[in-house]
Amino acid sequence: MTSFAKVAEHSARHPKPEGVTFEYGTAGFRTLGETLASTVFRSALLAALRSQSKQGRVIGVMITASHNHERDNGVKLVDPMGEMLQQSWEGYCTDIANADSDAQVVHILESIVKAEGIDTSIQPKVAYARDTRPSGPLLQAALEDGLTALEVEVTNYGVVTTPQLHYFVRCLNTEHSSAPYGDPTESGYNEKYGQAFLRLVEGKPQPSTLHIDAANGVGAPQVRKLADAIASPYFSIDVRNSDTETLGKLNIDCGADYVKSNQRPPAGTSLAPGGRYCSFDGDADRIVYYYADEHGIFHLLDGDKISTLVATYLRDLVAAAGLSDLQVGVVQTAYANGSSTSYIKDTLRLPTVFAKTGVKHLHHEAERMSIGAYFEANGHGTVLFNPSAVDKLQEAKPTTPAQADAIGRLWALRDLINESVGDAMSDMLLVETILICKGWTLAQWDAAYTDLPSRLLKVVVNDRNIFKTTNAEQTLTSPPGLQDVVDALVAKFPKGRSFVRPSGTEDAVRVYAEAATRSDCDQLAYAVAGAVFDKAGGRGERPAEFL
Ligand code: 16G
Ligand code: MG
């Protein structure tokens, strides 16, 4: 029987800072690392209850703030199959993080036990890890104190990428099932993905070196271990921005978020024409590729380009396997470049749906498809094989060697993909596989379609909570009348598209715009941002670079 007797005493060692309100946002709690100890301690308590509510299955806890500044940190819970915490529990997280006293912490735990009908005699189990941030060790200690208070059975994975922790959780919970996901260790991870990669590429021409910008984060040591495990010229890498020791370097002027937001290579990297480059973010769950053409012009291959590459390859394999009833679909967010959406619909002729920003929303949409590829434009995504698709693969009776080969490749691809969550390393191996099999350069991959010019702006307002959206965040329902203004502005520009949404991770409103030309796109973006500022309580400087 788990007792809460020790909780108040342990909680007293991690007082909640005065005047701070915490919120379990799109990807968990995220704020200044030095303010987070009480929240991490309390997250440990919730992870224990969540485990008991899932009959003692292992729950994950990851301490990371991804692409954010090094002084930030964060914590998120991972559900048993390696997916993000069920949304109905996010409110509990927010409530307990903001509890004013140690007694209230205990009271909230008791009320969750009651509301969820939790059997507290079940042994709770938690697996945890952290990224390379300097505040990580202290927050880990707070986490461990919470786990000790509830006598949780723990597995500490040390410093690993976020998707590795998701993978470990899924492995631990399927270890003794009929379909074990893999060995729940770092070497098991490297072995599983590395072997699947080699199965898919061996015998094909070898690619040139891949230059990886690891954002000075945890991806650097981990991708080196992956390369050591693969130990093959098919995966020849050069890891840059790999300094995880020097303070102040994480995500600064490098990493996937920097490259995507600024549309330029990491500072200090000059791109050799024909060279192959990619960037991870600080916790290695995002990846973007890029290259310079013969004129030295930078070209970005973002999440949309990855999803179209992957969807095309899967579609062709399914057809080659003779499995015409297996439908490949694509999930995007409103940030997907309009050209990519048209390409998926009109050229690939695949179904595509929009989900709200945030991996959990895309993941749930993709679960409804036979084979669902989901990617955010920022490089975060993966592919899900629905259980019915797996059954069909199992039942498939190939009648030709070509069909047998395609079915074998689909199985190998399933082993290559981290289905628990978007994973920069697994996605990288997937992209590499496809490029090797097609014998493509990055420019050949890029040739499928041309992105429309786009711009993302941030507007700081008095209260971002007045912004409400519908239609996968593409339409504002509040403040009243603002959507009509956006619509009228969009109508002025050929191929214009724009939307406004409150950020789920920052106290700001985001404005996205795209249009046929760079100048139209910028005019549209600044006009919409200006309208938001004027009509919805803008603070600070009015966004008005071009008007
Ligand atoms: C989080 C999300 C990311 C999303 C971003 C949007 C996860 C694991 N991460 O980082 O997918 O793109 O939030 O941020 O879901 P925003 O709401 O501030 O624009
Ligand atoms: Mg990340």
Side-chain angles (χ1 to χ4, degrees), residues 57-232:
R57 295 209 281 168
V58 181
I59 295 298
V61 181
M62 184 72 200
I63 299 173
T64 178
S66 182
H67 57 284
N68 287 29
H69 194 276
E70 176 181 279
R71 63 176 178 262
D72 285 349
N73 214 325
V75 59
K76 62 180 161 190
L77 268 52
V78 176
D79 261 354
M81 288 304 276
E83 70 278 48
M84 310 284 270
L85 175 69
Q86 184 180 304
Q87 258 173 287
S88 63
W89 273 63
E90 293 179 358
Y92 295 148
C93 295
T94 300
D95 288 349
I96 203 161
N98 292 307
D100 283 333
S101 64
D102 304 322
Q104 212 196 332
V105 167
V106 176
H107 175 71
I108 291 176
L109 290 177
E110 284 166 350
S111 58
I112 297 172
V113 167
K114 222 164 154 193
E116 298 287 330
I118 293 171
D119 176 354
T120 54
S121 69
I122 294 172
Q123 172 63 50
K125 300 190 194 88
V126 168
Y128 60 93
R130 62 180 173 88
D131 69 13
T132 57
R133 273 158 221 276
S135 55
L138 268 177
L139 295 180
Q140 182 184 319
L143 181 83
E144 286 164 345
D145 200 30
L147 297 171
T148 307
L150 291 184
E151 295 175 2
V152 176
E153 188 182 310
V154 300
T155 316
N156 173 5
Y157 280 103
V159 177
V160 300
T161 72
T162 298
Q164 283 179 313
L165 196 259
H166 285 251
Y167 162 92
F168 298 143
V169 169
R170 190 170 177 131
C171 292
L172 289 167
N173 287 312
T174 54
E175 221 174 357
H176 305 295
S177 74
S178 57
Y181 197 60
D183 181 21
T185 62
E186 272 184 34
S187 56
Y189 174 100
N190 292 332
E191 196 72 14
K192 175 174 176 175
Y193 295 121
Q195 289 305 317
F197 170 69
L198 289 175
R199 250 154 74 204
L200 282 153
V201 299
E202 262 166 358
K204 312 272 180 199
Q206 289 163 10
S208 61
T209 296
L210 177 64
H211 303 279
I212 302 170
D213 154 28
N216 293 314
V218 60
Q222 291 301 340
V223 78
R224 287 200 171 113
K225 289 185 210 170
L226 177 68
D228 289 345
I230 293 177
S232 157

Side-chain angles (χ1 to χ4, degrees), residues 26-27 30 67 76 84 285-286 335 357-360 376 378 380 501-506 510:
T26 313
R30 207 175 280 182
H67 57 284
K76 62 180 161 190
M84 310 284 270
D285 61 359
R286 292 191 198 177
Y335 288 114
T357 300
V359 166
K360 60 191 170 210
E376 292 190 310
N378 63 23
H380 199 162
R501 59 174 282 277
S503 159
T505 65
E506 254 188 284
R510 308 226 189 269

Side-chain angles (χ1 to χ4, degrees), residues 197-345:
F197 170 69
L198 289 175
R199 250 154 74 204
L200 282 153
V201 299
E202 262 166 358
K204 312 272 180 199
Q206 289 163 10
S208 61
T209 296
L210 177 64
H211 303 279
I212 302 170
D213 154 28
N216 293 314
V218 60
Q222 291 301 340
V223 78
R224 287 200 171 113
K225 289 185 210 170
L226 177 68
D228 289 345
I230 293 177
S232 157
Y234 283 101
F235 190 58
S236 146
I237 59 168
D238 154 43
V239 186
R240 300 169 172 202
N241 299 325
S242 61
D243 182 356
T244 58
E245 301 294 324
T246 311
L247 287 183
K249 286 194 148 184
L250 176 68
N251 294 324
I252 298 297
D253 293 340
C254 62
D257 197 61
Y258 174 89
V259 173
K260 168 76 181 161
S261 308
N262 296 289
Q263 309 265 326
R264 69 168 102 99
T269 303
S270 56
L271 306 184
R276 302 184 334 109
Y277 302 85
C278 68
S279 287
F280 296 173
D281 73 337
D283 65 337
D285 61 359
R286 292 191 198 177
I287 183 169
V288 295
Y289 273 72
Y290 42 93
Y291 68 98
D293 63 22
E294 64 275 23
H295 307 295
I297 310 270
F298 171 83
H299 295 266
L300 179 67
L301 293 148
D302 63 2
D304 301 337
K305 289 276 182 182
I306 296 175
S307 77
T308 48
L309 178 77
V310 170
T312 309
Y313 190 67
L314 286 167
R315 178 197 70 162
D316 294 348
L317 265 187
V318 164
L323 298 171
S324 52
D325 52 343
L326 267 190
Q327 176 71 64
V328 176
V330 180
V331 185
Q332 302 189 303
T333 72
Y335 288 114
N337 197 278
S339 291
S340 73
T341 312
S342 311
Y343 179 76
I344 296 164
K345 281 190 187 150

